[in-house]
Amino acid sequence: MAMVGACSLAAGCFGGTHIKPEERDIDVPMLDLAFQPAGAIVLDGLYESVDIQGDMALSWRKVYYLFSPNGSYTAAALGDGDAGPAFTTLTGTWKCEARGLSLDDAEPLPLEQAPGHLRLSAAGGSLVLAQRKLP
Amino acid sequence: MPGSVRCKAVAWGGDVAGTPVALPPGMTGKLLQVFGVLFVLALVGGSIAGFGVLKDRVKVVVGPDAAATGPDPIAELKDDVNVLAGDLTTLQQALGSNFEQLAAGIDERAGARHAELMGLQRDLAAVQKQLASLGQENAALRQQLAQLGKQLEALPAGGGMQVASAPGGAAALPAEPPPQPQPQATPAAVEPPPPTAPAEVADAPKKPDAAKPKGNFLFGGARFRCDEPHDYEIVPELSRVAFDAKSTLHDFTGVTQNVRGTFRIDFDDPQGAWTGSVRCDATTLKTGVDGRDSNMWEYLDTKNHPAIEFTLEKFEPAKDGVDVARQTAKGEVVGTMRIRGKQKSVRMPVQLEIDAQKRLIVKGEMPLSLPDYDVPVPSQLGVINMEKDVKVWISLRARVKAGGGK
């Protein structure tokens, strides 16, 4: 037993070191995307949130939008409730203008795009959506 | 015989032998004169002839003697060089002084710019503080507005207000349109949620404005203020609990991401009731070497005590350690550590901050002595020994729990 223990301790001599303080954190992948104003683009397809910042992050863990080129959308968001996580769904209309994306005729929100991504900004934070293929 | 001349006459085609001839008196002198004249004539003629022949071949140049009358070129050259050297020295001095003036000017402007920049930074900090306080006032006003809106809506219906909220509850936006006509809502297509009691909504001022549906998920929602109490729940995928150990042979780290726990934290009341607990599964601690891991679990008696727990009792902030505007805090957490069934009071210096996703980040480390928890210190053959003191460290991320702040 002592030999086994000694061997096990000795085995550790082949490569043993502490994790450096600067490597202790779990890396949160940062999006390295160059966003540009989207302008009056046509939205089409499924988008999944990959980054939620600001107060919106308190409410939503995940957000999905499915845009149709005819100007309608359906969306779902996973939030936290008293009974645990639950989805909230929405449907409505969208319109893309030079000023941004107007959902249900509301004030346009600044909309930016990068390859395969959209970013919506509001006072409550920002939402980065990545385009996905419909399963 | 005087006056006689022996001559030899040679004629063409013959030879006349010379015989002495007697000359009359005075003839010799005349002959000499004739010969002299002929000689001179010949000389002159020869000169003329020679001149005629050579006149085109010989060129005679008559000029002044320069060496005797002009200046010494070498001396002139020396003078020129000296003059040039003098000019160069003057130019060098002038340039040097100009560069000094230029450098002084640049330093002066840099100093002025630096002062301006410092002033701008101070102004910016002041503006940021004002923005932070305005943001807080804005949030408070929004809450009051939301409450007023609910009260107004309650008036026409006579008090039977239905608050449309999603099954998600506190932080979710409503999916069902309110009784009032909302042009942007599509009632037929929206999932009708169960109504919640108005009292519940009134008790949770940080819940979103549930009275009116919005066209997207970006509006409404909870507003985060770190100067209010919040409940946070650890996100295991983004968290680690570990220890650094040293032995005779090498150093190693044992780490696990199997971490659970919740905190209740209020940045505005750092010396208030901060509570919480962190629990990690000791059987998931890994050092990278299987044999060492199994020994470690044995020493920790994980069969009987599978968890390592820390219970938070209070937070002691460092001097000026809490910055509500920056949403950061540093100080010491005081609590109880439980390992291998043994409990001990501990203090851990920690740093806290809120990230862009409104998650709480907690980092800290502290020394821990294994014998304090009756953990045997590994030692093999008295040769390979592990040090009894280890360093425990944490890197945690926790998200706000819904319904927190009550």
Side-chain angles (χ1 to χ4, degrees), chain B residues 196-380:
Chain B
T196 58
E200 183 182 345
V201 173
D203 288 342
K206 281 159 292 299
K207 287 186 180 176
D209 180 0
K212 296 182 181 178
K214 302 296 181 181
N216 58 76
F217 297 110
L218 282 76
F219 292 122
R223 300 279 304 192
F224 179 81
R225 290 179 57 168
C226 76
D227 57 346
E228 292 171 349
H230 288 287
D231 290 324
Y232 297 87
E233 186 172 21
I234 291 175
V235 181
E237 296 76 27
L238 300 176
S239 301
R240 275 175 161 175
V241 171
F243 69 89
D244 293 340
K246 295 184 178 183
S247 76
T248 309
L249 290 178
H250 54 74
D251 302 339
F252 62 92
T253 295
V255 62
T256 179
Q257 280 189 252
N258 195 321
V259 186
R260 298 278 186 273
T262 57
F263 306 107
R264 185 170 179 83
I265 285 173
D266 182 359
F267 276 55
D268 196 44
D269 186 18
Q271 287 162 335
W274 283 33
T275 59
S277 65
V278 180
R279 176 190 170 99
C280 72
D281 185 348
T283 62
T284 59
L285 277 167
K286 296 286 177 67
T287 66
V289 176
D290 291 343
R292 184 166 59 199
D293 291 346
S294 57
N295 273 349
M296 173 179 59
W297 299 329
E298 191 178 323
Y299 286 125
L300 290 173
D301 193 16
T302 55
K303 284 182 184 173
N304 297 313
H305 307 284
I308 295 173
E309 296 176 347
F310 171 77
T311 304
L312 171 64
E313 291 163 6
K314 65 175 177 176
F315 175 69
E316 293 182 356
K319 188 182 175 188
D320 299 328
V322 179
D323 190 333
V324 174
R326 290 178 190 270
Q327 300 183 344
T328 61
K330 58 181 178 181
E332 282 190 338
V333 290
V334 182
T336 306
M337 182 76 80
R338 188 181 183 89
I339 301 175
R340 208 175 186 267
K342 189 78 181 291
Q343 208 160 277
K344 194 173 183 300
S345 184
V346 295
R347 306 173 72 91
M348 179 186 285
V350 293
Q351 292 177 326
L352 299 93
E353 64 179 286
I354 303 295
D355 67 8
Q357 287 77 21
K358 301 301 177 190
R359 288 185 293 238
L360 175 71
I361 302 173
V362 183
K363 297 181 194 178
E365 63 179 52
M366 69 174 198
L368 185 143
S369 184
L370 295 176
D372 288 347
Y373 299 88
D374 295 336
V375 177
V377 180
S379 174
Q380 302 300 336

Side-chain angles (χ1 to χ4, degrees), chain A residues 8 12 18 24-25 51 73 81 104, chain B residues 168 215 245 250 357 363 365 395:
Chain A
S8 68
H18 292 158
R24 289 177 179 176
D25 298 343
D51 185 40
Y73 77 89
D104 302 324
Chain B
H250 54 74
Q357 287 77 21
K363 297 181 194 178
E365 63 179 52
S395 173

